[in-house]
Amino acid sequence: MCEPKIFNVDQIPNVVNFLRLGGVLAYPSESVWGLGCDAFNTSAIERIFELKARPEHKGLIVLTDSAAKVTPLLQDLPHELQRDVLQKLQKANDDFDVRTADQAQTYLMPVSKLVKLPSLLTGGFDTLAVRVTHHPTLAQICNQLTSLENPFGFLVSTSCNISGAPSATTLDEAMAYFGNQVAYLNADGLGFTKPSKIIDLMKGDVLR
């Protein structure tokens, strides 16, 4: 059995190339470890569902490095509403204090019919769960992952586990789940104690 591929934080270009080629990566997030891929690579997304034994109707969270990048998701909305929603997202992002927070914030956003996203991301719904990550290494990956094929810099983020099992919190725990079936990013998380809060951006309702 071959050894799993492990990237260090000084190898971000290599990580991005791996993701663009359809690789699946386990990585430390703001709290527990996550499992992710290029959010526009359908084969890699399918692989994540297979690895986790996760029902496909649940959809997935995606990370990006900038609130401004999600603007095209809202292009079906009236311009005034677009502006209000984006201002709300930007303010929440600007007000977020990594030093005092105990959980990240993920926002459920409407998706324009003009934006062609893999249906597995949304679970077939007309909304997408988006988090502007404050994890510096993940933000760097999202920034470098941005391209014509992935204009949002979206990185899939789902818990690193088999569905229903506890989420991995260390590299060793992640490797115990998936061995050499995925690659790993050897880095630190942000130490948050709770999974991300999920907020309906249009209504303000807390969903988790």
Side-chain angles (χ1 to χ4, degrees), residues 37-112:
C37 66
D38 182 334
F40 281 80
N41 191 307
T42 301
S43 296
I45 298 171
E46 290 173 345
R47 180 67 176 144
I48 286 179
F49 278 101
E50 178 185 339
L51 286 166
K52 285 175 58 74
R54 177 183 172 90
E56 293 184 356
H57 69 271
K58 286 191 171 183
L60 295 163
I61 292 172
V62 294
L63 307 182
T64 188
D65 63 306
S66 167
K69 283 183 180 175
V70 305
T71 303
L73 291 180
L74 306 172
Q75 59 188 286
D76 284 347
L77 298 179
H79 290 300
E80 186 174 334
L81 186 54
Q82 284 187 43
R83 187 181 67 248
D84 290 346
V85 169
L86 288 170
Q87 286 178 348
K88 189 184 303 183
L89 179 63
Q90 187 65 61
K91 184 177 188 308
N93 188 56
D94 292 344
D95 291 347
F96 190 84
D97 190 344
V98 174
R99 297 167 300 178
T100 58
D102 61 359
Q103 63 185 148
Q105 294 180 343
T106 298
Y107 291 91
L108 196 65
M109 301 185 58
V111 177
S112 167

Side-chain angles (χ1 to χ4, degrees), residues 177-194:
Y177 275 129
F178 298 115
N180 64 359
Q181 298 180 91
V182 305
Y184 302 86
L185 178 62
N186 187 13
D188 294 325
L190 294 186
F192 292 1
T193 57
K194 300 176 183 177

Side-chain angles (χ1 to χ4, degrees), residues 3-207:
E3 291 295 315
K5 184 185 295 290
I6 300 177
F7 295 103
N8 294 315
V9 293
D10 60 352
Q11 296 177 294
I12 300 306
N14 303 75
V15 172
V16 171
N17 186 56
F18 172 78
L19 293 168
R20 284 182 173 153
L21 292 174
V24 175
L25 181 74
Y27 55 82
S29 68
E30 296 88 350
S31 54
V32 297
W33 272 60
L35 200 62
C37 66
D38 182 334
F40 281 80
N41 191 307
T42 301
S43 296
I45 298 171
E46 290 173 345
R47 180 67 176 144
I48 286 179
F49 278 101
E50 178 185 339
L51 286 166
K52 285 175 58 74
R54 177 183 172 90
E56 293 184 356
H57 69 271
K58 286 191 171 183
L60 295 163
I61 292 172
V62 294
L63 307 182
T64 188
D65 63 306
S66 167
K69 283 183 180 175
V70 305
T71 303
L73 291 180
L74 306 172
Q75 59 188 286
D76 284 347
L77 298 179
H79 290 300
E80 186 174 334
L81 186 54
Q82 284 187 43
R83 187 181 67 248
D84 290 346
V85 169
L86 288 170
Q87 286 178 348
K88 189 184 303 183
L89 179 63
Q90 187 65 61
K91 184 177 188 308
N93 188 56
D94 292 344
D95 291 347
F96 190 84
D97 190 344
V98 174
R99 297 167 300 178
T100 58
D102 61 359
Q103 63 185 148
Q105 294 180 343
T106 298
Y107 291 91
L108 196 65
M109 301 185 58
V111 177
S112 167
K113 294 180 175 61
L114 301 175
V115 177
K116 303 303 180 185
L117 296 176
S119 60
L120 288 172
L121 289 180
T122 63
F125 294 96
D126 58 359
T127 54
L128 179 67
V130 179
R131 180 159 78 249
V132 180
T133 183
H134 288 264
H135 189 298
T137 304
L138 299 184
Q140 189 178 354
I141 291 172
C142 291
N143 179 266
Q144 294 189 27
L145 199 56
T146 306
S147 65
L148 288 175
E149 293 75 24
N150 184 350
F152 306 96
F154 282 161
L155 172 69
V156 166
S157 181
T158 183
S159 56
C160 183
N161 60 351
I162 307 300
S163 289
S167 300
T169 58
T170 65
L171 174 60
D172 287 343
E173 289 178 3
M175 292 177 68
Y177 275 129
F178 298 115
N180 64 359
Q181 298 180 91
V182 305
Y184 302 86
L185 178 62
N186 187 13
D188 294 325
L190 294 186
F192 292 1
T193 57
K194 300 176 183 177
S196 70
K197 181 187 295 185
I198 299 179
I199 302 167
D200 187 318
L201 189 58
M202 299 293 287
K203 301 176 181 178
D205 296 340
V206 177
L207 307 177

